[in-house]
Amino acid sequence: MINDRNGMLDEETELTAEPVRKQWAVLRLLSRSYLMLVLLAMIIIGNLVSPDFLTSRNALNVLTFSSIIALLAVGQFFVVLTGGIDLSVGAVLALATVVAALTMQAGLGAGEAAGITLAVCAVVGLLTGGLIVYLGIPPFIATLAMMTAIQGFSYIIQSTSLIYIENQTFVNIFSEGSLLGLRSPVLIFVTVTIIAAIVARYTVFGRQLYAIGGNREAARLSGLPVNRNLMVTYTISTVLAGLAGLLAAAQLYQGSSLIGRGYELDAIAAVVVGGATLMGGRGDPIAAVVGVFILSIIVNIMNLVGISSEPQLVIKGVVILLAVYLSSAGGVTQLARVFGFGSRSGSSGT
Amino acid sequence: MQSVQDVVLGLEGVSKRYPGVQALENINLEFRKGTIHGLAGQNGAGKSTLVKIIAGAETPDSGRLLVSGEPIAFQNPNHAQSAGVQTIYQELSLVPQLSVAENITLGAPPRNAVGLVDWAEMNVIAEQALERVGFKLNVTRAVSDYSVAEQQAVELAKALRKDAKILLLDEPTSALPQPDVKRFFEVLRKLADDGVALVYISHRMDEIFSICSEVSVLRDGRHVASLNTSESRPADVIHAMVGESLEGSLAKAALTGEKSVKIGSNCTEQVFLSLRNVSDGGKLSDISVDVHSGEVLGISGLLGSGQSELAQIFAGARERQSGDILVDGRNVTYRSPSEAILCGVGYLPQDRKSHGFVPEMSVAQNITLANLSGFSRLGFIREGAEKERAGGLAKRLAMRISGIDQAMGTLSGGTQQKAILARWLVRSSRALICDEPTRGVDVEAKEEVYELLRDFASNGGTVVIASSELSEALMCDRVLVMARGQIVAELDHSEIDPDGHAIMKYYA
C-alpha cells in the first residue's frame, strides 16, 4: 500500500517542474522514513545520556519487553486496519498465562499447553468477532466488555493469586532458548512481524482488509467477505495476544490474571505512532512494530537516567501525541513548510 | 446600465496550483449586484477551486479578491461570511436531528440576559429567515422531518440569516425534484431583485439558461468564455466547456433535449434477470420485472420515487422481505451483493464516494476489487497481472489518469465511474445495474459512459439504468416509470416523445 501510494506520487510529480519535484521528493522521503529517523534519534540520545544504554544487557531488556508488546501491536494493527479496535488483548494475554500455567500444572507438556492456550484464545477472538459482526456491537464496547469479563474469568480459574511454571522446556521455547544467536522471544516476534507484513502487502486477505478499512460499504458492494474477514481479524488479534501471553508466562515463570494490565493501550499507541489511523485503511505492521520500539526505548532511557514513573507517564503521553501529529495528522508536511521545503505551497498562506 | 459600483465581487488575476495541476490560471471575473451569474465547466475545470477561494476555504497563490471594490484576503470561511459571502454547497450541511430553528441559527444562537439560548427569539429569527425564501415551516421540528426541497430552503435561510451580499450556489438543485426546482428558482430571482449577487454553479444547461443572465465558462483552470444567455444557445456553452464540437453527440442531445438517442438496440427475447413479487418491507411492494439480454431498461422517476431502491434490489444490496429473483430462469434469490456478483450482476451505486470505491487505494486496486481471485495464486496477489489488466482497461475506457497507481480519491467523477464500470468488465459481468450513472460526471465523460453502456448492451449484456434524469430515460429501450414506490407505467422507446412528456405525465 505505502509503496503504491508513493508510486502514484512519482507519476504525479513528473508533470511538474524539476526543482519542485526535488522538494516533493524530500518531503516524501521525510514522511516515509521519519519513523526510522525518530528511532535512530532515540538510540543516539540514549547513548548520549547513559553509558549503560548501548550495552548488550540493556538491549536485551528492551528487546525482551518489546517482543511482547510487538506481538500485541501486530494483532492490533490488523484490527485497526479494518477500522476497529481491540481493548481485550491485555486481558487475553493474562488469560493465556493462566491457561498455560494451569495446563502444565495438570501435567501436560509444553507443546500441548501452548496449543490449548492458543486454541482458547482463538475461541475468545471468534466470540469477540461474533459480537461485533453478528450482534452489531461497536468494537470499542464489545472488546471493553470482553476485557472485563476475561479479567474476571482468568482470576476465577486460577483460584490462587498466581500459578508457578516449573516446566523448563516451556521456559526454553518461549523465553530463554536461542537459535542462530537470537533469543526465542526476538525470533518469535520477528517471524510474526515478517509474516504479517507479507500478508498485509501481498495477499488477497491483506488487500481485502485495506479495502474494508478504506470503505466498508464499497467493499461489501464489491462482494468481499467482510464479515468473515472481520471474524478472522479479531481472531488473529487474540491468538497473537495468546502468543504474547506465552512469552510473558515463560519470562515470569508464572501465570496470573494480573499480568498485562494496560498493555492493550501500549499496543494501540504503538500502532498509531506507526502511522495507522483509527479510521482504518492505512498503515503497515512493520511501522507498528517500529512504533513499539520508539515507545519502549523512551521508557528505557527514562529508567536509565532515573526519572521516576509518574513524570515518565507524562513524557510518554507527550511523545505519543507528537509522533501521531507527525505521522498521521500531516505534521511532517506542515513542519516542512515552516522550514522552507514546501515554499511553493507555503507562500500562499502567509 | 451597469456601472462599476454594481460590482460586488471582483477577481483579479487569481491563480491556484496544486501538486501536479494548475487548478486556476489568471482568472478575472466580476459579479454584479442583483444578477444571477452562471458558472459552468466540466469536472476538473476549476469550478470547485474557484468556489473555495471565494468562500475563503482556500487562498489563491496569486491575484486578489475585491469585495465592493476593496481588496480583501480571506483568512478562513468565517472571515468570508462576515464579509457577506455566503455559500451553499452541493451537499446540505444541516444537522438532521436538530430543529429547523437550531439549524438556521447554528453557530450563533441568540442569547438572553443570562447568556443562555433565547429559544423564543431563535424561533422568530428562523421564521423570518424562512419567510425571506418564501417558505413557512414549523421551525421547532427536526430538519429530518422535512423533504429535500424544504431542507434546501432551510439551508438557504441559514445562509441569508447572515448578511449576504454574495451568495454562491454550488449545484444546489442536484437533489431537488423538478417542481421544487421551479419554486427554488423563484426564490433565487427574488433574492436577486433584493440586490444580492448570486453565483450559480451547475452542470445543467436548462437551469443556467432559465435563471442566469450571464454565464462564464471555465476549462482546464482558465476562463474561456463569458456569454450572455439571451444571445447564446446551450450548445455554445457546451462548446466552450468541452473545447471541441459536440455536434451530433449523445451528451449534447441529452443536455439540450434536441433529440434523444437510444443507447440500446440489441434487445433479445432472452430474459436474463427477473424480479417476482418483490417487496422490501418499506418503500417497494410486490414488484415484478423482466429484463432481457442486450436490453437497456430505464427506471425513471423523480428523486425518491423508489427507482434507487429497486436498483439496490437488483444488485442484491438491499434486503428483501419477500419475492424471488431469477437469473436465466433459475430461481437464485440472492441475498447479498457477493451472491449477486456470482450470478453476473454488477452494481454502480448512486453515491460513488461513500459506496463505490476505496479512495486511498489505487485505480488498479479498485478495478480488481470484485475479482481478486482472478488475480491471485494461492492467496497471493499477482500484481503484474493486475496492473496489466487494469492498465488495458484504463486505456480502453479512455480513463484520464496519470498512472494506474494513482489514488482513486484524486480522480474526477467521470473517471471514477469508469473505473467502477471497469471493475465489472474485469469480472465479465452479464448485467450492470446503474443507479444515477452520470451524477457528478462531466459532459464529455457522460457521453463516454453512455457509449460504454451501449457497447456493453450490444455485446449481449443487460443494463438497468435507475435515473431521475429524464434525458437518460429517453435513451433506453424500455422505461419503467416509478412513483411512490410503485411502477406506474411501462413505455417502449417508440412510445416516448423527444421531450419526455410521455414519461413526465406519470411522475405526479
Side-chain angles (χ1 to χ4, degrees), chain B residues 69-104:
Chain B
E70 294 293 316
I72 187 163
F74 295 138
Q75 304 299 321
N76 53 48
N78 276 335
H79 186 194
Q81 284 177 15
S82 56
V85 179
Q86 309 297 339
T87 311
I88 296 200
Y89 291 101
Q90 202 167 349
E91 314 286 331
L92 295 181
S93 57
L94 300 173
V95 187
Q97 298 87 350
L98 293 184
S99 75
V100 170
E102 284 170 301
N103 267 290
I104 290 177

Side-chain angles (χ1 to χ4, degrees), chain B residues 298-301 479-483 486-491 502-507:
Chain B
I299 306 174
S300 178
V479 178
L480 302 176
V481 187
M482 289 194 76
Q486 298 290 323
I487 295 176
V488 291
E490 178 175 343
L491 301 164
I503 295 174
M504 270 191 288
K505 75 176 180 200
Y506 292 104
Y507 277 175

Side-chain angles (χ1 to χ4, degrees), chain B residues 104-105 108-110 118 120-130 161:
Chain B
I104 290 177
T105 58
D118 187 340
E121 173 71 8
M122 179 193 277
N123 293 344
V124 173
I125 291 176
E127 274 161 14
Q128 283 170 348
L130 275 170
R161 191 212 153 198

Side-chain angles (χ1 to χ4, degrees), chain B residues 151-468:
Chain B
Q151 292 184 14
Q152 185 73 270
V154 173
E155 182 87 45
L156 206 53
K158 182 180 157 191
L160 293 174
R161 191 212 153 198
K162 300 157 194 161
D163 182 39
K165 278 194 271 188
I166 299 134
L167 186 61
L168 291 174
L169 300 136
D170 190 358
E171 297 199 44
T173 59
S174 54
L176 278 185
Q178 206 62 39
D180 292 319
V181 170
K182 255 187 181 163
R183 186 168 174 197
F184 181 67
F185 282 178
E186 281 164 22
V187 173
L188 296 187
R189 288 200 188 92
K190 189 165 154 282
L191 289 176
D193 290 341
D194 287 353
V196 179
L198 289 90
V199 183
Y200 191 88
I201 295 125
S202 180
H203 276 126
R204 305 182 55 134
M205 292 307 125
D206 51 341
E207 293 186 351
I208 286 179
F209 276 80
S210 74
I211 63 160
C212 300
S213 52
E214 190 184 350
V215 53
S216 295
V217 182
L218 296 181
R219 186 173 76 231
D220 300 331
R222 286 188 305 274
H223 174 203
V224 289
S226 274
L227 303 161
N228 216 316
T229 48
S230 55
E231 295 158 9
S232 52
R233 297 176 309 138
D236 302 332
V237 176
I238 294 169
H239 188 178
M241 284 164 67
V242 177
E244 57 185 66
S245 178
L246 263 180
E247 219 52 59
S249 75
L250 271 174
K252 185 192 159 197
L255 273 161
T256 58
E258 281 172 13
K259 60 172 180 174
S260 68
V261 183
K262 199 163 142 177
I263 57 173
S265 53
N266 193 30
C267 183
T268 63
E269 289 301 307
Q270 181 80 34
V271 174
F272 173 63
L273 187 57
S274 310
L275 302 185
R276 290 273 176 276
N277 312 102
V278 168
S279 303
D280 71 347
K283 201 150 198 165
L284 309 173
S285 62
D286 200 29
I287 288 187
S288 297
V289 187
D290 285 335
V291 203
H292 301 80
S293 294
E295 181 179 25
V296 179
L297 175 72
I299 306 174
S300 178
L302 292 178
L303 214 85
S305 299
Q307 71 272 32
S308 185
E309 287 79 3
L310 189 55
Q312 289 165 16
I313 295 271
F314 268 117
R318 188 180 184 81
E319 222 160 291
R320 277 169 315 102
Q321 205 164 57
S322 60
D324 297 321
I325 302 173
L326 284 71
V327 169
D328 281 332
R330 274 188 313 122
N331 190 338
V332 290
T333 310
Y334 39 70
R335 286 184 172 75
S336 65
S338 55
E339 288 174 30
I341 290 165
L342 289 177
C343 292
V345 179
Y347 178 46
L348 287 78
Q350 175 179 132
D351 190 344
R352 268 193 304 282
K353 207 166 140 197
S354 59
H355 297 153
F357 60 87
V358 186
E360 293 206 332
M361 297 205 331
S362 71
V363 177
Q365 292 173 338
N366 270 287
I367 287 178
T368 57
L369 196 58
N371 195 19
L372 286 173
S373 59
F375 293 94
S376 61
R377 193 182 296 130
L378 302 172
F380 283 82
I381 290 175
R382 289 153 53 215
E383 279 189 33
E386 172 180 56
K387 285 186 178 169
E388 193 185 318
R389 187 72 205 281
L393 275 165
K395 203 173 249 173
R396 199 179 116 204
L397 305 194
M399 290 167 59
R400 277 176 285 276
I401 50 177
S402 62
I404 205 69
D405 291 328
Q406 190 175 353
M408 190 81 167
T410 62
L411 303 175
S412 72
T415 311
Q416 286 168 349
Q417 189 70 301
K418 285 184 194 172
I420 297 170
L421 198 67
R423 181 186 297 162
W424 304 118
L425 297 181
V426 161
R427 267 207 80 94
S428 313
S429 297
R430 295 175 60 196
L432 293 176
I433 313 299
C434 316
D435 191 1
E436 306 283 353
T438 60
R439 172 167 294 182
V441 170
D442 56 78
V443 180
E444 201 179 342
K446 230 178 200 176
E447 186 189 340
E448 289 167 358
V449 169
Y450 295 144
E451 284 298 337
L452 291 169
L453 293 178
R454 181 211 293 275
D455 254 17
F456 184 82
S458 68
N459 289 320
T462 299
V463 179
V464 175
I465 299 178
S467 175
S468 55

Side-chain angles (χ1 to χ4, degrees), chain A residues 39 43 52-70 185-186 189 251 292-301 303-304:
Chain A
L39 189 60
I43 292 171
D52 296 329
F53 181 76
L54 271 185
T55 59
S56 59
R57 190 162 160 268
N58 186 56
L60 199 64
N61 272 340
V62 172
L63 271 175
T64 314
F65 176 74
S66 300
S67 57
I68 291 174
I69 303 293
V186 178
F189 101 77
Q251 269 172 33
V292 171
F293 277 95
I294 289 174
L295 292 179
S296 51
I297 286 177
I298 289 167
V299 172
N300 180 247
I301 292 173
N303 280 332
L304 288 176

